[in-house]
Amino acid sequence: MKKNAKGFVLLIFLFSMTLFLNSCFTIWEVAQPTVIAEGTSFQVDLKMSTNKDDATAKYGILGILVPNDWIIDSVYFDGAYSGVGEYLHPDSADGNPGGQVDYWADSIEYHYPSGPDMQWVVYQANTAYTAGTDTAFFNVHVKMTSGSETGEYDLGYLITDAGLDFTDSTYWDVSLENTIEVIPESDIVTIADIQDTTGTGSDESKLKGQVVTVTGVVSAESYAFGGKYYIQDGTGPWSGVYVYDYNNDAAYGDSIMITAEVDEYYGLTELKNVSSFAVLSRDHEVIPTELTTAEVNEEAYEGVLVKVVNAEITDPDMGYGEWEINDGSGACVVDDKAEYYFDPAKYDSVRSLVGVVDYSFGANKIQPRLAYDVEEADESIRIQRIQQVRPVSYTHLTLPTN
């Protein structure tokens, strides 16, 4: 149901666990953002399980409580039941099999009234399954688009199943009051708003200390940097920023919307205390900005994915994993926060080097992400450039559409 609009308050990322009535179905976690802009598509991930022993084949039923003007773009599941079929869109499920979606929409509405301007949208699996005695875990992924009305809403999720004749005993679990705030699109700040210090006489962000909502594409993933990642909006100066966030897995190429606090960490502009995290879309490419090694040292490129070419390794060991390169324009430092399997002492130069620009101990430093970011100027190719790939767990399925 819609809640009364409130001022901008401290929001926490919501992990909701609800045990309702019976343990045969359990909704363990609702990974849902707490802030989203009007008219924005985003994804909610539900972690669930079932442990009932039933030899009768059933159809999975999923109820989603959303505002009337929201659109459910797609629903799919993986895990224990990934091979038993996809969820049908409610508009196409009435005839297969026989009207259950309408029945369940009415039933859920009776037990859990939606309230003004809200509705239960019900999906049904297109293939029946048989439950076993062991607990089976599965995930349901819901992609939806918010409407034009701003304010706070409580979304809900219900999981159950049913046979064709409804004579079987039914078990279910429900998670309600998953609060999300829809804000005007004009409230979204850009990465340049955070980073650009032109004319201020300071390297500190103009928004230091403020809680902001910002969008960007992940240019360097949390897998490589251990609970930290970088996001970018376009290319060039002031287009990237560092995010300190141990609570969310940010995969390369994900377009995300986050709410976080702007801070300065020993001269590095960062986003911290992430209170909302939403995946908007996936599989984007971030094009590195090509710079000279001297330009890497400029404030404008802090947080930006960059590329330098044909640079000599002028110091292979500066200590603490750092090394120095120079393309003739002036030296810059390369660091090793991520594991990219390159020993600069074995080479005289690099043909190309890609990485995000970090700042620490008074200097900008390129941070390569994986082995293929460092191309040695050599006839041979080191094996890690071929072997090291992003883990499957950080590679996402393409979302289906109805």
Side-chain angles (χ1 to χ4, degrees):
M1 62 187 67
K2 183 175 183 180
K3 306 179 79 170
N4 293 330
K6 298 180 180 179
F8 199 85
V9 296
L10 180 63
L11 298 168
I12 62 171
F13 190 88
L14 180 61
F15 287 101
S16 170
M17 184 177 77
T18 305
L19 301 180
F20 186 85
L21 289 182
N22 217 301
S23 62
C24 290
F25 281 100
T26 302
I27 300 176
W28 291 102
E29 186 178 288
V30 177
Q32 173 191 293
T34 55
V35 177
I36 203 72
E38 57 182 328
T40 299
S41 295
F42 64 98
Q43 182 165 305
V44 176
D45 298 309
L46 310 172
K47 293 185 179 180
M48 304 180 176
S49 69
T50 180
N51 65 350
K52 66 177 182 176
D53 183 11
D54 192 341
T56 305
K58 304 291 178 63
Y59 289 93
I61 304 290
L62 176 71
I64 309 166
L65 178 62
V66 292
N68 289 336
D69 64 341
W70 287 31
I71 298 172
I72 307 296
D73 300 300
S74 61
V75 175
Y76 70 100
F77 56 89
D78 59 34
Y81 297 114
S82 59
V84 303
E86 302 297 325
Y87 274 108
L88 291 175
H89 188 279
D91 293 339
S92 64
D94 287 347
N96 182 18
Q100 286 193 20
V101 167
D102 288 341
Y103 173 91
W104 276 100
D106 294 340
S107 178
I108 296 173
E109 179 66 34
Y110 175 80
H111 288 285
Y112 304 102
S114 57
D117 302 318
M118 302 287 286
Q119 63 174 329
W120 281 101
V121 180
V122 179
Y123 280 72
Q124 175 184 285
N126 64 353
T127 305
Y129 69 94
T130 302
T133 55
D134 294 333
T135 300
F137 292 91
F138 58 100
N139 306 303
V140 178
H141 310 282
V142 183
K143 188 175 183 182
M144 62 182 79
T145 301
S146 59
S148 60
E149 293 293 325
T150 59
E152 288 189 354
Y153 298 87
D154 284 335
L155 306 189
Y157 307 94
L158 183 144
I159 184 72
T160 185
D161 62 9
L164 291 178
D165 58 5
F166 299 105
T167 58
D168 58 294
S169 58
T170 301
Y171 306 89
W172 68 92
D173 192 17
V174 64
S175 176
L176 303 172
E177 298 184 359
N178 300 290
T179 304
I180 188 168
E181 182 183 15
V182 180
I183 63 175
E185 189 175 1
S186 58
D187 286 357
I188 306 298
V189 305
T190 66
I191 294 175
D193 291 333
I194 298 168
Q195 287 283 47
D196 193 347
T197 59
T198 303
T200 65
S202 170
D203 289 339
E204 290 195 347
S205 172
K206 302 185 296 290
L207 302 181
K208 179 183 176 182
Q210 296 186 32
V211 175
V212 300
T213 299
V214 62
T215 60
V217 176
V218 178
S219 58
E221 61 270 62
S222 51
Y223 156 72
F225 290 96
K228 299 166 282 280
Y229 51 92
Y230 295 76
I231 59 175
Q232 193 155 321
D233 182 9
T235 58
W238 316 114
S239 62
V241 69
Y242 165 79
V243 185
Y244 182 85
D245 179 14
Y246 277 87
N247 295 319
N248 299 290
D249 289 331
Y252 171 79
D254 279 359
S255 174
I256 63 175
M257 178 181 290
I258 62 174
T259 299
E261 179 186 350
V262 181
D263 197 15
E264 295 288 336
Y265 183 76
Y266 294 101
L268 172 67
T269 302
E270 68 173 8
L271 296 174
K272 68 176 188 178
N273 299 328
V274 176
S275 56
S276 182
F277 179 97
V279 176
L280 308 182
S281 57
R282 288 178 165 141
D283 300 323
H284 299 273
E285 182 181 5
V286 182
I287 305 298
T289 298
E290 188 167 326
L291 303 177
T292 65
T293 51
E295 289 173 324
V296 170
N297 299 304
E298 297 177 11
E299 169 70 16
Y301 295 105
E302 178 192 281
V304 177
L305 185 68
V306 302
K307 178 181 181 180
V308 297
V309 298
N310 300 323
E312 181 185 356
I313 299 174
T314 49
D315 188 342
D317 186 5
M318 300 175 65
Y320 302 99
E322 297 179 359
W323 46 291
E324 184 185 79
I325 58 175
N326 192 333
D327 62 3
S329 65
C332 73
V333 178
V334 185
D335 203 358
D336 66 344
K337 283 189 175 179
E339 183 60 79
Y340 50 89
Y341 302 99
F342 180 80
D343 183 357
K346 295 181 178 180
Y347 301 93
D348 296 325
S349 60
V350 291
R351 184 171 290 113
S352 70
L353 189 146
V354 174
V356 285
V357 178
D358 189 31
Y359 179 87
S360 63
F361 297 101
N364 279 7
K365 301 166 185 179
I366 301 178
Q367 301 283 358
R369 303 160 299 176
L370 296 172
Y372 55 72
D373 276 345
V374 184
E375 182 183 358
E376 59 275 16
D378 196 85
E379 294 299 323
S380 61
I381 299 175
R382 69 189 195 283
I383 191 66
Q384 291 88 348
R385 279 181 57 203
I386 301 171
Q387 295 270 14
Q388 191 187 23
V389 296
R390 290 184 167 100
V392 173
S393 60
Y394 286 82
T395 303
H396 297 281
L397 296 171
T398 300
L399 295 176
T401 56
N402 293 312

